[in-house]
Amino acid sequence: MYQIIHETGWKDFCRATYRETPSAAERWSSLTWRQRAKEAHLTNERWNTRMFVAKTLNSRWSQKHRPEIALSRSRLAVACGHAITTYRFGCVEHGTKSSVTLEGTFTVFPPVVGNDITGLSFIEDGGKDESLLVSNCAGDLVRIRLPLNEPPYQLNIKDKRKQNFPAIKTAQYQIPRIPLGKIAATGSEALVLASEGSAFLVNPASPWKKPICTTIGTTAWAAHLELRSSTAYAAIGTSKNVVVHPFIHSSISSSPIAILGGTKKDVPVYCVAQYLPGGSPDIIASGWYDGRARVHDLRCSIRAKDVTSTSMNSPTPLEPVLTLADPWHPFDPVYSIASRAQIEDATARSKGSDQGMPHQGSFLIAGSAIHSAISIWDVRQPSRSWSMFAPGKDWSPVYALKAEGSRLWGATQWRAFAIDFAPDASLTDYPWNREDTTSSEITYPHVAAQRRNIVVDLDDS
């Protein structure tokens, strides 16, 4: 029996509860299946007991920015101003501890006013994770490649903290010169939002194809592309609510098939994401200006009864199946949202991937507009949810969040940060910066991450 459990039991357990954690994949590939299961259990316990290491990734920027972050299997990219800084995931000391290494800062656009990056996403490049799609305020949409193997970078790699390296532009897309916003990309499709109430659907691999423009009709703040659903769609957060536009003949319809509501008046929606990635593609999470995080199920038939802001030609808004709020920050707008963990679909699991770890937690995480507050809701037990503050003591919104099995990545207007729940968090090598203090490396128990009574509205049906 021991032999069966040792050879196949731990392996089947890990694969049955597969979760992707890219920042620790290299180290975990050197662990046995039993060690992975043990580490997963310890990680879950640290999430449940609010034990973590908070770490800033860079010194305070010279001025305020609205940063963007993108996460791939091998690196984290942080866009600030006209440049992108990347951090490589790895392991040191024969796989005994993880490492997050600064690779360098890469200039994408000229350093002039109006060239700040507004959208950032990794795109398919054969697993190298060196290609990104980038947009800016001036209306430029480009595809770049990080020059990690080019002579200028290799010759000056020791001085990567002191200088910027030019990113290699591999494509420029034909988009009107209007201010662009966020980018949502998946597979072979990418959706780029524009400030004038429109969105452009582009194929990152085919820059010679003219982007397809879709009229949204109002300011669009965020988007989520879902191609796995029976009807592929784009969920777009606007200045009024969330609109769901279907894909028709390789383009996005200008008429929404659903409107996601939850309020009696128009409320801006600043972030949209899939609720527990890898789960049902028909469930959407969004962060609203009224301080609520709402979860909608497109399969639900419950509609709003008293609506005054919807036009006659639009569908009646869907009611949320779950509404979450932090009473310590009840009116602070939600600027960013993420889910832990990144769950792979059945296809990836069936391939026998050995990069994942079993994480049973289901957390919805939201970044507030004030005081760098982060709310963490355990959707299985909402009463055990809690909130914390990002490291750095910044009086700033949390503009971006990305979550995975053991780590939470984010960025405020002054710096990027990591919240590490891994058992080896205190040993992990993070980039050094001159503002590092012992307070940014403390393992925070209940005192700094106190339990909050969370407001929860559930659909009784």
Side-chain angles (χ1 to χ4, degrees):
M1 179 62 71
Y2 173 83
Q3 192 71 12
I4 294 175
I5 294 176
H6 182 73
E7 293 180 357
T8 63
W10 296 119
K11 186 175 183 179
D12 291 342
F13 168 76
C14 291
R15 286 179 172 176
T17 53
Y18 179 77
R19 303 293 186 273
E20 185 183 13
T21 305
S23 64
E26 185 174 337
R27 187 179 70 85
W28 284 344
S29 63
S30 64
L31 302 179
T32 65
W33 291 105
R34 183 176 182 276
Q35 290 173 327
R36 299 181 194 187
K38 177 182 178 180
E39 184 149 324
H41 170 73
L42 295 176
T43 300
N44 288 329
E45 286 298 308
R46 290 176 67 87
W47 276 87
N48 293 329
T49 57
R50 310 166 189 85
M51 301 288 289
F52 56 86
V53 168
K55 180 73 175 180
T56 57
L57 298 181
N58 60 275
S59 302
R60 184 185 176 99
W61 292 315
S62 59
Q63 63 185 47
K64 295 180 180 179
H65 290 282
R66 182 160 186 167
E68 294 288 328
I69 65 175
L71 184 67
S72 73
R73 290 180 177 271
S74 56
R75 57 178 48 88
L76 173 76
V78 181
C80 169
H82 62 280
I84 295 173
T85 302
T86 62
Y87 302 88
R88 174 78 183 191
F89 305 139
C91 62
V92 293
E93 298 181 8
H94 307 288
T96 57
K97 63 180 182 179
S98 302
S99 65
V100 180
T101 306
L102 172 67
E103 290 184 305
T105 299
F106 306 94
T107 302
V108 181
F109 302 110
V112 297
V113 176
N115 269 352
D116 282 6
I117 295 173
T118 56
L120 180 70
S121 178
F122 280 99
I123 55 178
E124 294 291 339
D125 62 354
K128 296 180 181 179
D129 296 330
E130 296 178 357
S131 297
L132 297 104
L133 196 62
V134 188
S135 62
N136 71 357
C137 294
D140 296 312
L141 179 65
V142 299
R143 186 183 68 198
I144 67 166
R145 179 169 60 84
L146 302 177
L148 302 179
N149 298 314
E150 301 297 322
Y153 177 80
Q154 292 294 329
L155 293 175
N156 297 278
I157 192 169
K158 293 183 179 180
D159 298 324
K160 57 190 175 183
R161 287 185 176 275
K162 301 179 181 179
Q163 62 176 313
N164 293 359
F165 303 92
I168 301 174
K169 294 184 181 179
T170 58
Q172 177 95 30
Y173 298 85
Q174 305 173 22
I175 285 183
R177 298 285 293 183
I178 57 177
L180 300 179
K182 291 183 179 292
I183 297 174
T186 179
S188 61
E189 304 288 349
L191 187 68
V192 184
L193 303 180
S195 63
E196 297 184 353
S198 58
F200 296 91
L201 185 66
V202 302
N203 185 336
S206 305
W208 56 86
K209 293 183 179 180
K210 186 177 181 179
I212 302 173
C213 180
T214 299
T215 300
I216 307 301
T218 184
T219 303
W221 295 103
H224 166 66
L225 275 183
E226 183 51 72
L227 305 181
R228 297 184 301 118
S229 177
S230 56
T231 300
Y233 65 84
I236 302 174
T238 71
S239 58
K240 298 180 179 179
N241 45 38
V242 180
V243 291
V244 180
H245 292 258
F247 277 77
I248 299 178
H249 304 301
S250 300
S251 64
I252 297 179
S253 171
S254 58
S255 301
I257 57 172
I259 294 178
L260 310 185
T263 62
K264 294 183 179 180
K265 60 181 181 180
D266 295 341
V267 177
V269 180
Y270 292 143
C271 48
V272 183
Q274 186 184 358
Y275 174 70
L276 298 184
S280 172
D282 297 315
I283 306 180
I284 301 171
S286 52
W288 297 57
Y289 185 78
D290 63 359
R292 270 36 177 186
R294 292 181 170 89
V295 178
H296 292 81
D297 191 336
L298 299 180
R299 301 165 296 183
C300 182
S301 61
I302 299 179
R303 308 278 174 170
K305 297 179 180 179
D306 183 17
V307 180
T308 59
S309 61
T310 302
S311 64
M312 295 180 61
N313 297 327
S314 300
T316 305
L318 282 172
E319 286 288 281
V321 296
L322 178 66
T323 301
L324 300 166
D326 189 338
W328 286 68
H329 312 280
F331 304 110
D332 296 351
V334 177
Y335 272 29
S336 54
I337 200 164
S339 299
R340 184 262 185 184
Q342 188 78 13
I343 307 174
E344 283 291 309
D345 57 19
T347 303
R349 188 183 302 135
S350 64
K351 293 180 181 178
S353 173
D354 61 356
Q355 302 301 310
M357 288 290 288
H359 294 295
Q360 289 79 34
S362 298
F363 294 91
L364 191 64
I365 306 158
S368 171
I370 302 177
H371 306 317
S372 301
I374 300 172
S375 300
I376 301 179
W377 294 287
D378 186 338
V379 295
R380 305 163 303 169
Q381 304 177 68
S383 63
R384 288 180 52 84
S385 302
W386 49 285
S387 62
M388 56 171 287
F389 298 97
K393 301 179 181 179
D394 297 327
W395 289 62
S396 159
V398 179
Y399 282 118
L401 283 175
K402 295 290 183 181
E404 51 176 340
S406 59
R407 294 189 177 104
L408 177 65
W409 308 94
T412 67
Q413 65 189 14
W414 294 113
R415 73 192 82 234
F417 63 86
I419 309 296
D420 197 338
F421 293 87
D424 68 332
S426 59
L427 302 176
T428 299
D429 283 345
Y430 281 99
W432 176 89
N433 67 77
R434 63 178 179 271
E435 295 179 5
D436 269 351
T437 61
T438 55
S439 62
S440 64
E441 300 177 349
I442 288 178
T443 298
Y444 290 89
H446 298 266
V447 175
Q450 297 179 13
R451 175 175 172 175
R452 307 292 195 234
N453 293 319
I454 304 298
V455 178
V456 182
D457 294 332
L458 293 172
D459 174 29
D460 294 334
S461 64

